[in-house]
Amino acid sequence: MSIDKIVARQYRDKVNQAVSQFGSLSMLPNHGLPKEGWLRTVRTALGMSGTQLAKKLGVTKARISKAEQDEPQGSVTLKTMQSMAEAMDCKFVYAVVPKQKVEDVIKERATEKARAQVKAASTHMALEAQSLSKERLEFEIERIAAQIIDKMPSDFWNDE
């Protein structure tokens, strides 16, 4: 196995671990985000006022309110989330988690690309009265998809 494939495997393992740990969050409406956002929800759960949090951070209460209003719209910065979480003695967790295992995402894409290749070839063959059976077409799609996955060409994610 090449170094590139070993490195790719390590990245996939790391992402798949996140899928198994956090994947269920993506199934919740709005990805599990409380209506008023995590900052306000946690602060309220702790019984901490906005003024108290502002004092811990050395900022104004208005800045706390603004961050709490910005979070549900997705316009709060990661840096703000981190500092406010720490001021509340919390951890800020940030992750980009695929909806399914990395291998499944890659297999779907490879199958899509293989299907396009087989369709193009199949059209030419049909014009020459040499069309393949449905079973043979599916076999070829799977075979080509496996080759694509093995080689992972640089244009793998390009839309053509």
Side-chain angles (χ1 to χ4, degrees), residues 39-141:
L39 295 173
R40 182 171 291 150
T41 299
V42 171
R43 183 181 56 73
T44 302
L46 292 171
M48 184 184 292
S49 71
T51 303
Q52 291 167 326
L53 180 56
K55 186 173 181 182
K56 288 182 96 162
L57 284 165
V59 299
T60 64
K61 182 186 179 311
R63 186 137 178 227
I64 300 300
S65 294
K66 174 83 169 108
E68 289 180 349
Q69 289 168 5
D70 288 348
E71 183 196 357
Q73 283 78 43
S75 55
V76 68
T77 67
L78 297 176
K79 184 177 179 180
T80 297
M81 293 290 291
Q82 176 74 35
S83 64
M84 288 180 70
E86 286 177 5
M88 292 185 287
D89 199 26
C90 294
K91 278 194 265 183
F92 174 61
V93 179
Y94 171 81
V96 176
V97 181
K99 295 175 184 171
Q100 55 190 344
K101 291 176 93 176
V102 174
E103 292 83 2
D104 295 336
V105 174
I106 290 171
K107 184 168 176 52
E108 282 180 18
R109 178 63 178 183
T111 301
E112 176 184 309
K113 290 184 86 67
R115 195 173 302 283
Q117 287 180 24
V118 168
K119 181 179 178 188
S122 179
T123 300
H124 292 297
M125 290 177 73
L127 292 173
E128 297 171 7
Q130 298 175 356
S131 58
L132 299 175
S133 68
K134 184 177 178 178
E135 294 80 20
R136 183 67 184 175
L137 287 173
E138 286 303 315
F139 172 81
E140 287 301 316
I141 290 168

Side-chain angles (χ1 to χ4, degrees), residues 17-37:
Q17 183 179 8
V19 170
S20 66
Q21 288 177 339
F22 303 113
S24 61
L25 285 179
S26 65
M27 299 306 197
L28 299 171
N30 205 16
H31 307 289
L33 180 69
K35 183 179 155 194
E36 65 275 355

